[in-house]
Amino acid sequence: MDRLRAFEVFVTVVSRRGFGRAAEALSTSPANVTRYVNELEAHLGTRLLNRTSRTLSLTEGGETLYARCKSILDDVAETEGLVSSAAVEPRGRLRINAPVSFGIQYLAPLWPRFTQTYPGIELDVALIDRVVDIVDEGYDLAIRISRAGPTSHAARKLATSQNILCASPAYLDRVGHPTVPADLFTHRCIGYTYAATGDEWQLIDGGGKTHAVRVDCHMHTNNGDTARAAALAGQGIIWQPTFLIGNDLRAGTLVQVLPDYRLPEIDILAMYPSRRHLSARVRVMIDFLVGAFGGVPHGIGVTQTRWASRRRRADGASRAYVRRARTFRFRGRGIVLRVGARWCALPVTINAACRCRKRAAWLSRQQAISQPPPPAAQSRRASRAT
């Protein structure tokens, strides 16, 4: 029995989910495919496939053999490609692990372009937020939003992101803005399960000093999108990377908390086991990702300093307008106010809204004082005097 051919037939049957489809892919007859699988089962002394007229499933031994045979066949294809002058493009299966939110938002749009460029590479992408063991779990490449994992792994930087503390305007309007890191202890916070420091949040002030605050998290989640949804619903304060919440900050649906403090920047890395030979398919994937991101993907490079300066400029402009305004209207996501003979528009920030309400209340009191009382009130006062 040609064991390498038997391995190839077995892997094709499993991947194509049928003997007939495997025979078409291998350009042979279904009888030959059946014969190879039967001989392989007889040689190993165990059943590999559970077969009925309608279904095909792997046994426990079959699952183990399939994973190993797939790896062997990929190595064979790569070896042939290295020594064959005719084969110029990488081939084989490439297993990639990436975080869920980042994988959906930034990596998924790239895969069609990659497969068009390298049609010989079969992608197997697993989105998992926990830090996986690349070697033990059989991954060729892992995209990490931190340097977590064994230090022996090699890594190449794709981009830099920034974690930001933020909450919804509704929550901050209801509870108030924290002014120093210690205030976070009195707020409802939403924790990230895989955070390296747990519920101890570390913030850096303008002088570079780190402030560690142990917060009281009423909710934990292992997924950034879940934390973002909770924050948008006014459930509390979160810290998440700008690639996930950047659009919300720009739209004003989330507002930065403690803008004078920052969280450490984080690198987005492509990691792979350094002890293994860097295959051609891993090398071209890394080069592809570096070129696609260019160091700072869209929405990832928005730093805390830029958001703080934008907010200070907006607050300064709104303060000047509000002091001179005579009329206010809240319209959609903005405030329309009349300054002199013209109308001006401002975004609804918490500070601007509070200033507008205070100014409107002051104007109402001034108008009530300056206007004469209505005739009914005048007659009541005259009757009391007599």
Side-chain angles (χ1 to χ4, degrees), residues 193 237 316:
T193 306
I237 298 175

Side-chain angles (χ1 to χ4, degrees), residues 218-272:
H218 73 98
M219 173 182 174
H220 289 86
T221 176
N222 65 354
N223 178 258
D225 283 311
T226 302
R228 170 180 170 269
L232 289 171
Q235 295 300 303
I237 298 175
I238 63 171
W239 64 262
Q240 285 296 321
T242 46
F243 69 77
L244 184 62
I245 59 170
N247 291 333
D248 300 310
L249 293 172
R250 282 185 283 270
T253 52
L254 290 178
V255 178
Q256 187 179 356
V257 174
L258 296 173
D260 294 329
Y261 297 82
R262 63 181 177 85
L263 283 80
E265 287 189 345
I266 49 176
D267 290 334
I268 300 172
L269 305 170
M271 301 187 68
Y272 53 93

